[in-house]
Amino acid sequence: MNVPRPPSTGLSVRQVLLCGALIVTMSMGIRHGFGFWLQPIITERGWTRETFSFAMAVQNLAWGVAGPVAGMLADRFGAWKVLVAGGLMYALGLMLMAVSADPLSFTLSAGVLIGIAQSGSTYAVIYGVLGRTVSPEKRSWAFGVAAAAGSFGQFVMIPVETWLISHLGWQGALYLLAGTALLIVPLALGIRERQTVGGAAGHQSIGQALREAFSYRSFQLLMLGYFVCGFQVVFIGVHLPSYLKDHGLGIGVSTGALMLIGLFNIFGTYASGMLGQRFPKRYLLSAIYGLRAVAIVIFISVPLTPLSVYVFAAVIGFLWLSTVPPTNAVVVQIFGAQHLSMLGGFVFLSHQIGSFLGVWLGGKLYDATGSYDVVWWLAIALGVMAMLANLPVRETPILRAPQARPA
C-alpha cells in the first residue's frame, strides 16, 4: 500500500533542512548544558540537588505535556508561528531563570516556561514540516539530519556554555543564551509553508487521528520505548557531571564527556536515519535500546577513570538520539504526514514523562542514598524492556476505510 503524498508546502527540502537544523541546533544545544548550572546555582542559593533536579524534571514534563498542543497548532496553523512563539518564550525563560531566587520561581521559569518553549522549538514541530516536504523514501534520512543537528548543537554549545559560566558567571551566561535563543525567530520565517495540511487536506479530524493512533498497538509500543529513551538520556545528561565530580573527576572530564556525547551523537543519529531507509526500524530501535543497557552495565562495572568515561561517552553518544529518526519515521509511515507534529508530540510526551522520572529520581535517590547506583540499574532494566517492546512494532501503513467527500 502506497502512502499518499501530502500537498506541496512550497518549500525546498534544502531550505527546510537548513533552517530546521539551525533551530534544533540552538534549542537543543542550550538545553544540553543545563547540568553545568547545577553546582553553581545550588551553591549560591543554598539549595539541594533535588531542588535543581525537580525544576529540570518539570521542564521535561512541561515540554512533553505542551508538545501535543504545539504539534496540533503547528499542523493546523503553521509551524513557523509556533516556532516564533517558542523562540520568544525560550529567551524569556532563560532570563527569568537567571533572577529566580526561590525554588518556586526557579521551577516556574527553568521548568515550566522553558519546557513549553522547547515544545515549540524542537523536533516535533520541525519533523512535521519535513514530513510534509520530503518524499516518503527520504524521510528517515531527513529526520536523521535534523536529529544530527541537535547533536551538533550539544557538541558546540557544551564548551561554549562552560566557558561562559567561568567568564561571565552563571547568571551572565544565561542572559547571553537568552539573546541566542531569539535567533530562532528569523529562522522560523524560513520554513513558512505555503499552506497547512489541516487546511488543505482535512480528510481526518484531530479526534479521529487520536483515536486511531492510541488504539493501535504499535503506537503504544513506540511510546513505551520513547519513555525509556527519555529516562536514560536526561538522567545521564543532567547528573553525569555531578556523578563524575563525586568520584573525584574534574570539570574538564565532564565537559569532555558531554562533548563526546554530542560529537558521536551526530554520527549516530545520521547513521540511524540512513539505516532506517534500508532495514526494519523496529529491529534498529531494539538494537539501540539493548546496546544502551550493555554500555551502562560496563560503565558502572569497570574502574572509573577519564578513559573509561570517554569511551562510555562515545558509545552512549552514538546511541543518544539515534532513536529519534526511526521512531518518527515509523509514526509517519503508519499514519501519514497530516497529523505528524501532533502524533509526534504525543510520542514525545511519553519520552518526557520518562525524562521527568530520570532527572528527578536521580536527585531524589542521591539525596536519600548518597549514590546514583539505584538509578543506573533502573536505566539498565528499562533498556532491556524497551528492546523487547519494539520487536513486535508493525511498520506498514494503517488501513483506513474510504471516507466520502462532500459534494
Side-chain angles (χ1 to χ4, degrees):
M1 179 178 177
N2 295 324
V3 180
R5 293 174 181 264
S8 172
T9 61
L11 300 169
S12 70
V13 173
R14 181 178 299 178
Q15 180 178 341
V16 175
L17 280 175
L18 178 60
C19 294
L22 288 173
I23 290 171
V24 173
T25 295
M26 284 185 289
S27 183
M28 295 297 292
I30 291 172
R31 81 173 300 273
H32 275 307
F34 280 147
F36 289 106
W37 270 266
L38 188 154
Q39 294 288 344
I41 287 180
I42 67 173
T43 299
E44 181 168 326
R45 301 300 192 200
W47 299 339
T48 65
R49 291 192 190 189
E50 184 183 358
T51 300
F52 184 93
S53 299
F54 182 75
M56 293 298 105
V58 169
Q59 179 189 109
N60 285 279
L61 190 59
W63 183 1
V65 171
V69 178
M72 290 178 196
L73 295 174
D75 288 334
R76 181 65 182 87
F77 299 107
W80 72 276
K81 296 178 182 178
V82 175
L83 290 166
V84 167
L88 294 174
M89 292 181 66
Y90 212 148
L92 178 61
L94 290 166
M95 293 174 63
L96 294 177
M97 178 179 171
V99 299
S100 298
D102 60 86
L104 177 59
S105 60
F106 185 76
T107 300
L108 292 175
S109 59
V112 177
L113 189 56
I114 291 180
I116 294 174
Q118 289 168 349
S119 74
S121 60
T122 47
Y123 296 115
V125 178
I126 299 297
Y127 278 177
V129 184
L130 283 174
R132 294 187 286 269
T133 305
V134 181
S135 60
E137 60 271 12
K138 293 184 177 179
R139 280 176 182 152
S140 181
W141 165 80
F143 291 167
V145 171
S151 308
F152 179 74
Q154 178 179 357
F155 174 68
V156 171
M157 292 300 293
I158 288 298
V160 170
E161 290 177 42
T162 55
W163 186 89
L164 290 175
I165 292 172
S166 64
H167 287 76
L168 302 179
W170 66 268
Q171 290 176 309
L174 287 172
Y175 289 136
L176 190 58
L177 290 178
T180 303
L182 289 175
L183 295 175
I184 293 173
V185 174
L187 288 170
L189 300 177
I191 55 175
R192 183 174 182 176
E193 298 171 85
R194 181 173 63 192
Q195 61 184 359
T196 60
V197 173
H203 60 276
Q204 187 184 42
S205 69
I206 289 175
Q208 290 172 332
L210 290 177
R211 286 192 295 272
E212 178 182 75
F214 278 94
S215 64
Y216 199 66
R217 180 165 176 77
S218 292
F219 188 75
Q220 299 167 3
L221 294 174
L222 288 170
M223 291 184 69
L224 177 60
Y226 235 30
F227 167 89
V228 175
C229 180
F231 185 99
Q232 293 173 329
V233 301
V234 177
F235 163 66
I236 294 172
V238 173
H239 289 285
L240 183 62
S242 296
Y243 175 77
L244 298 180
K245 183 178 180 180
D246 292 342
H247 287 78
L249 298 178
I251 188 68
V253 177
S254 301
T255 302
L258 292 183
M259 286 181 63
L260 282 172
I261 289 174
L263 176 62
F264 279 84
N265 195 15
I266 297 172
F267 303 113
T269 49
Y270 184 78
S272 176
M274 292 293 292
L275 291 172
Q277 299 289 132
R278 296 172 171 82
F279 302 102
K281 300 171 187 65
R282 62 187 183 277
Y283 296 149
L284 182 59
L285 287 167
S286 294
I288 292 168
Y289 288 118
L291 289 172
R292 280 188 188 178
V294 172
I296 296 172
V297 168
I298 295 173
F299 176 61
I300 65 174
S301 300
V302 302
L304 194 63
T305 65
L307 178 59
S308 71
V309 172
Y310 296 147
V311 171
F312 171 72
V315 173
I316 206 70
F318 194 82
L319 306 168
W320 192 255
L321 292 180
S322 54
T323 60
V324 175
T327 299
N328 285 273
V330 172
V331 172
V332 70
Q333 194 167 319
I334 296 173
F335 302 106
Q338 182 186 354
H339 296 290
L340 177 57
S341 289
M342 179 188 69
L343 295 179
F346 274 105
V347 174
F348 198 69
L349 170 59
S350 179
H351 182 284
Q352 295 308 93
I353 293 173
S355 300
F356 173 89
L357 291 174
V359 70
W360 175 64
L361 284 176
K364 178 71 172 179
L365 293 177
Y366 178 89
D367 288 342
T369 66
S371 170
Y372 287 113
D373 289 350
V374 175
V375 192
W376 282 120
W377 283 106
L378 185 56
I380 293 165
L382 289 172
V384 174
M385 180 184 72
M387 177 186 69
L388 298 175
N390 276 275
L391 289 174
V393 168
R394 297 181 61 186
E395 302 177 30
T396 54
I398 194 168
L399 296 175
R400 298 188 179 113
Q403 296 184 12
R405 296 184 179 273

